């Protein structure tokens, strides 16, 4: 059997629209205290606070000399101009952001973002020098209709259109079945692994096998310390994108430990 390609696990904590200033800074400080250099050497950790606290979280992590990266939950596709309420990728970079999340199911299905907008945001982030997590995932009715792979590879194809092989090294893919997000229902390790294999094959088809072997694919959807190890033990699961369990330092640390 060929060796499993080494991919450094990537764990993201998506804080969503939670935690005001003091709580966000306190959680960042607690994570920085817990994740020593040995941990962040073994696992890439990115936290995604709400926009108003990006700079504060970034400076807490910086003051503590932490290698935890700060990510933004969104960013706009245009570089500047008359786009009231939006925030450009270079503005995010300015306040210490290193990574941007695009294609999260809440942005696709609650806010109504299209595949084209997801792709435009992905390119804007890469052009600004930021890393990207591209999230894909099927809804329950799509899974029940046997369309899981069709939906995931479709979102992947649109999301990654126009991306170069070199840029793929700055992209992490997150497979997040929509029915598992925030519901307490988790895909079985076997089901998640199967979806990850199909996603990796699609990357090989769009790029080549070396790119597919190198790309990290996170699982997201009610990952917790109790189920993290079984999921992360799967050969094609290279980390997790964590919502609810990322809001508590102990839970998030338990998942990062399982990834080590
Ligand atoms: C998410 O929002 O990306 C997520 C996976 O949430 P949760 O862990 O709460 O299911």
């Amino acid at each position: 059997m060929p060796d499993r390609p080494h991919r450094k696990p990537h764990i993201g904590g998506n804080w969503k629209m939670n935690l005001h200033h003091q709580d966000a800074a306190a959680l960042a400080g607690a994570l920085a205290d817990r994740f020593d250099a040995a941990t962040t050497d073994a696992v890439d950790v990115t936290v995604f606070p709400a926009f108003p606290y990006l700079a504060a979280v970034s400076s807490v992590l910086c003051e503590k000399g932490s290698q935890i990266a700060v990510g933004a939950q969104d960013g706009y596709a245009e570089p500047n101009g008359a786009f009231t309420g939006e925030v450009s990728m270079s503005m995010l970079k300015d306040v210490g952001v290193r990574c941007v999340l695009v294609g999260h199911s809440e942005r696709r299905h609650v806010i109504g973002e299209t595949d084209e907008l997801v792709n435009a945001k992905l390119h804007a982030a890469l052009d600004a020098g930021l890393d990207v997590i591209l999230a894909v995932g099927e809804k329950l009715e799509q899974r029940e209709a046997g369309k899981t792979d069709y939906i995931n590879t479709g979102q992947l194809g649109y999301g990654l259109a126009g991306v170069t092989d070199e840029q793929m090294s700055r992209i992490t893919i997150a497979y997040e079945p929509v029915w598992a997000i925030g519901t307490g229902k988790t895909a079985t390790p076997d089901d998640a692994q199967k979806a990850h294999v199909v996603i990796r094959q699609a990357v090989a088809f769009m790029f080549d096998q070396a790119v597919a072997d190198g790309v990290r694919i996170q699982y997201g959807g009610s990952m917790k310390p109790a189920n993290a190890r079984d999921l992360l033990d799967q050969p094609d699961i290279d980390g997790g994108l964590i919502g609810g369990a990322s809001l508590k330092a102990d839970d998030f640390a338990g998942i990062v430990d399982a990834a080590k």
Side-chain angles (χ1 to χ4, degrees):
M1 262 241 295
D3 285 345
R4 171 180 175 171
H6 177 72
R7 295 181 285 268
K8 185 176 179 184
H10 186 185
I11 302 288
N14 176 11
W15 297 356
K16 308 194 186 191
M17 200 172 70
N18 294 299
L19 305 178
H20 286 77
H21 190 165
Q22 296 303 326
D23 292 331
L27 179 55
L31 295 177
D33 290 341
R34 291 181 82 127
F35 299 161
D36 57 9
T39 302
T40 47
D41 282 349
V43 182
D44 282 334
V45 180
T46 308
V47 292
F48 296 80
F51 278 141
Y53 311 123
L54 286 168
V57 166
S58 182
S59 62
V60 168
L61 295 173
C62 203
E63 274 160 27
K64 288 187 176 268
S66 174
Q67 290 308 309
I68 299 171
V70 178
Q73 298 170 25
D74 188 29
Y76 200 53
E78 297 295 335
N80 51 51
F83 301 101
T84 301
E86 297 294 347
V87 177
S88 75
M89 302 295 176
S90 59
M91 290 171 180
L92 296 173
K93 198 169 180 202
D94 238 8
V95 294
V97 165
R98 306 223 301 256
C99 178
V100 176
L101 177 55
V102 303
H104 190 277
S105 71
E106 286 147 22
R107 297 218 57 94
R108 290 181 191 268
H109 304 303
V110 181
I111 314 289
E113 291 192 4
T114 61
D115 282 313
E116 288 74 12
L117 183 56
V118 170
N119 179 251
K121 288 183 173 189
L122 178 138
H123 279 287
L126 292 173
D127 290 348
L130 297 167
D131 292 346
V132 173
I133 295 179
L134 168 65
V136 301
E138 82 286 359
K139 293 182 181 177
L140 184 59
E141 60 270 29
Q142 293 166 331
R143 169 162 282 261
E144 287 173 346
K147 292 188 174 161
T148 297
D149 296 341
Y150 170 76
I151 295 296
N152 289 333
T153 54
Q155 289 180 353
L156 200 68
Y158 279 114
L160 294 177
V163 170
T164 64
D165 287 19
E166 185 279 326
Q167 288 173 323
M168 280 301 288
S169 64
R170 296 197 281 133
I171 295 175
T172 298
I173 296 165
Y175 167 57
E176 299 207 294
V178 181
W179 49 271
I181 297 181
T183 58
K185 293 182 194 148
T186 314
T188 64
D190 198 43
D191 281 346
Q193 166 65 14
K194 282 186 184 132
H196 282 230
V197 166
V198 172
I199 288 169
R200 200 175 300 286
Q201 283 168 345
V203 172
F205 184 72
M206 290 178 67
F207 298 89
D208 61 28
Q209 194 58 48
V211 171
D213 285 343
V215 73
R216 293 178 296 181
I217 308 176
Q218 301 171 320
Y219 168 79
S222 299
M223 194 188 269
K224 305 197 167 12
N227 60 26
R229 194 172 292 274
D230 284 347
L231 287 158
L232 294 166
D233 269 352
Q234 299 300 312
D236 287 280
I237 300 186
D238 311 309
L241 185 56
I242 324 298
S246 71
L247 298 173
K248 294 201 178 108
D250 285 347
D251 287 352
F252 194 58
I255 295 171
V256 171
D257 281 345
K260 271 210 253 178

